[in-house]
Amino acid sequence: MASNSRTLSAAADAGAPAPDNQWSSRLTFILAAVGSAVGLGNVWKFPYIVGENGGGAFVLVYLLCIALIGIPVLTAEILAGRRGGASPIRSFGIMAERDGHSRNWQAIGWLGGLCAFLILSFYSVVAGWALAYLGYAVGGDLSAAGGADDVGQAMGTLFETLLASPAALVGGHTIVMAITILIVASGVRGGLEKAIRWMVPGIFAILAGLVLYAATASGEFGRAAHFMFAPDFSALNWDAVLVALGHAFFTLSIGMTAMMAYGAHLQKDAALGSSAVAIAGLDTLVALMAGLAIFPIVFAAGLEPAAGPGLVFVTLPIAFADIPGGTIVATLFFLFLAVAALSSTISVLEPVVEYLEERTPLTRRGAALASGGAIWLLGIGCALSFNVAGDIRLWDHNLFDLLDFLTSAILLPLGGLLIALYVGYVLPERAVRAELAGIGPRGYAVLRGLLRYVAPLGIATVFVYGLM
Ligand code: TRP
């Protein structure tokens, strides 16, 4: 992890962070960004929203959103982060001064900070479910449920019992927030880099094994593939398109400046466009693999694809109960899922902590504790909305659903829209060109067109139709 001459020359650039605050290589950056992108969004959320929204047509819209809006916005975020070189909020201020545009673009950073609070508070609760299932795997509850006459129903009951327990949900959420705070408190080099090295490859390997299992043992792989990839447009409506767009943002970790914060630690000469494509490609691959592992089991066990947030927690344990060495595989899977979730939670907290560190007397540790503590409190509300506080509804949603919808469907696309406009129209073209030197004139023209026209119009259209 030695810093090299490239990091030193980058530090000489005004506003760039010190070398010891940079990723040790472009590969490490990609790994960290993939760690942020790959998480519960891919394994938990993607399959259940595919199930709820009718399958193939939804997947197609989602893939289009990733390619035409997600990748350009991801590139724009990393670009703006690297150019600003500080916490997202301050980066907009630095660029305003250097490039002579309005400081009001800082609003994107503030919006992102708000999003971080809202996202992490419900995300941490779901990460807590993964921890609970890790406990079930180790404690033998999964194999016990796997021995029942109706395995599907037994697994469903296990999940419902978890949701009904305030202590289990608050406990899991508390552990997740505590670990997140600890990692973020240790800084980019000491905490983030070390944590991500082995987690993402691990989850990838287990998912590949599960897809193989689903392809050979379930007898329903063809039906699952048909469900996921044969588009039935009669199942599609604007609500579903809004969900697909929102999820494209959520799964790529874009729209709230988290990738900006990661980009600020990237060397000046590292290629941006190909990094963004690699990050989005791997993220999409993991999501599709999760779907291909889960839906064959759904069909083989006679479960409902539209079962909702419990889908992955009910289906995969059925496979684990059936395969030799299933307890070990289940243990590893939920361990890796928890860790993949943690490599995402740290990226949500990071921009907030960086800002507090810059702007308040708080140390990194103090900043992590203060912001993480506030998120922990809000998260307790989310945990309790599955049981004792389930009757408290706002606009017909409990707190958990409300935060999920508000962030994915509204705030993240809004943030992404503003970032696309910012990099497309506000940053000086010469600066954007210089940052993108690697992609060539044609690549630049394509990206510029996507940022200036396709992404903004696409997001605006989906907002108009999806929210009406
Ligand atoms: N992308 C992560 C997932 O799919 C979640 C996540 C991490 C995120 N950082 C983010 C979502 C920033 C939105 C914004 O699980």
Side-chain angles (χ1 to χ4, degrees):
M1 287 205 212
S3 66
N4 52 33
S5 54
R6 289 189 297 155
T7 57
L8 289 175
S9 66
D13 208 282
D20 68 344
N21 201 21
Q22 291 202 333
W23 304 111
S24 45
S25 66
R26 180 172 88 112
L27 195 65
T28 318
F29 162 76
I30 292 181
L31 218 57
V34 170
S36 166
V38 173
L40 298 167
N42 309 61
V43 180
W44 160 69
K45 200 171 176 192
F46 177 72
Y48 100 70
I49 57 177
V50 170
E52 282 183 340
N53 291 287
F58 177 86
V59 173
L60 188 68
V61 174
Y62 161 80
L63 292 174
L64 284 174
C65 289
I66 293 279
L68 297 179
I69 300 176
I71 293 177
V73 171
L74 176 59
T75 312
E77 253 197 52
I78 302 170
L79 187 157
R82 180 165 75 177
R83 183 154 171 82
S87 81
I89 297 177
R90 204 165 73 98
S91 284
F92 285 109
I94 291 173
M95 289 184 283
E97 232 149 76
R98 191 191 306 154
D99 299 323
H101 61 68
S102 159
R103 290 185 78 84
N104 291 345
W105 291 95
Q106 258 181 340
I108 302 176
W110 289 107
L111 186 70
L114 171 71
C115 261
F117 276 81
L118 305 182
I119 289 177
L120 195 45
S121 63
F122 76 82
Y123 196 91
S124 163
V125 172
V126 182
W129 299 352
L131 283 185
Y133 269 74
L134 177 60
Y136 292 160
V138 176
D141 299 280
L142 288 188
S143 29
D149 286 337
D150 187 339
V151 191
Q153 196 187 351
M155 294 301 178
T157 309
L158 191 64
F159 183 68
E160 278 161 27
T161 312
L162 171 65
L163 290 196
S165 163
L169 295 196
V170 173
H173 160 63
T174 304
I175 297 173
V176 171
M177 284 312 301
I179 300 176
T180 304
I181 291 168
L182 263 174
I183 300 178
V184 174
S186 347
V188 167
R189 274 291 169 89
L192 305 195
E193 277 202 23
K194 285 204 187 96
I196 43 123
R197 285 226 152 149
W198 52 276
M199 323 199 251
V200 177
I203 194 110
F204 203 80
I206 295 191
L207 271 182
L210 284 171
V211 173
L212 208 66
Y213 165 82
T216 50
S218 69
E220 295 285 5
F221 194 72
R223 197 167 149 208
H226 184 83
F227 178 70
M228 277 182 68
F229 297 118
D232 166 12
F233 288 98
S234 68
L236 200 67
N237 55 31
W238 280 104
D239 287 346
V241 175
L242 182 64
V243 173
L245 175 75
H247 187 65
F249 280 87
F250 186 86
T251 192
L252 293 179
S253 304
I254 52 177
M256 63 142 271
T257 69
M259 287 298 186
M260 248 186 105
Y262 275 19
H265 302 289
L266 180 63
Q267 285 92 344
K268 279 286 171 198
D269 60 353
L272 286 189
S274 56
S275 302
V277 171
I279 296 162
L282 283 171
D283 183 75
T284 306
L285 190 60
V286 173
L288 295 178
M289 278 164 65
L292 286 175
I294 286 167
F295 285 112
I297 304 169
V298 169
F299 292 127
L303 299 168
E304 245 333 291
L311 194 65
V312 52
F313 294 100
V314 174
T315 50
L316 290 188
I318 298 176
F320 297 138
D322 188 43
I323 52 184
T327 303
I328 297 173
V329 182
T331 305
L332 284 177
F333 177 80
F334 287 114
L335 178 67
F336 287 164
L337 184 59
V339 176
L342 282 166
S343 65
S344 301
T345 57
I346 54 183
S347 75
V348 185
L349 195 57
E350 178 69 17
V352 177
V353 168
E354 287 186 6
Y355 182 72
L356 290 178
E357 212 185 347
E358 284 168 357
R359 277 302 157 96
T360 69
L362 289 172
T363 60
R364 194 171 172 92
R365 267 195 206 161
L369 203 61
S371 50
I375 292 167
W376 175 72
L377 275 178
L378 185 58
I380 291 180
C382 291
L384 299 183
S385 68
F386 286 101
N387 38 68
V388 292
D391 291 337
I392 303 176
R393 322 281 291 180
L394 300 146
W395 296 284
D396 204 30
H397 290 295
N398 65 25
L399 184 62
F400 181 95
D401 293 337
L402 182 74
L403 294 188
D404 182 0
F405 177 78
L406 189 68
T407 50
S408 288
I410 300 176
L411 296 178
L412 293 180
L414 179 65
L417 171 69
L418 294 174
I419 289 164
L421 295 176
Y422 180 74
V423 174
Y425 293 96
V426 179
L427 273 187
E429 191 178 347
R430 128 194 82 70
V432 177
R433 256 185 210 281
E435 292 284 347
L436 289 170
I439 64 173
R442 201 170 299 157
Y444 176 77
V446 170
L447 182 69
R448 191 171 169 82
L450 291 172
L451 283 177
R452 292 191 128 188
Y453 310 109
V454 178
L457 288 175
I459 297 169
T461 309
V462 179
F463 268 166
V464 167
Y465 287 97
L467 291 172
M468 273 187 339

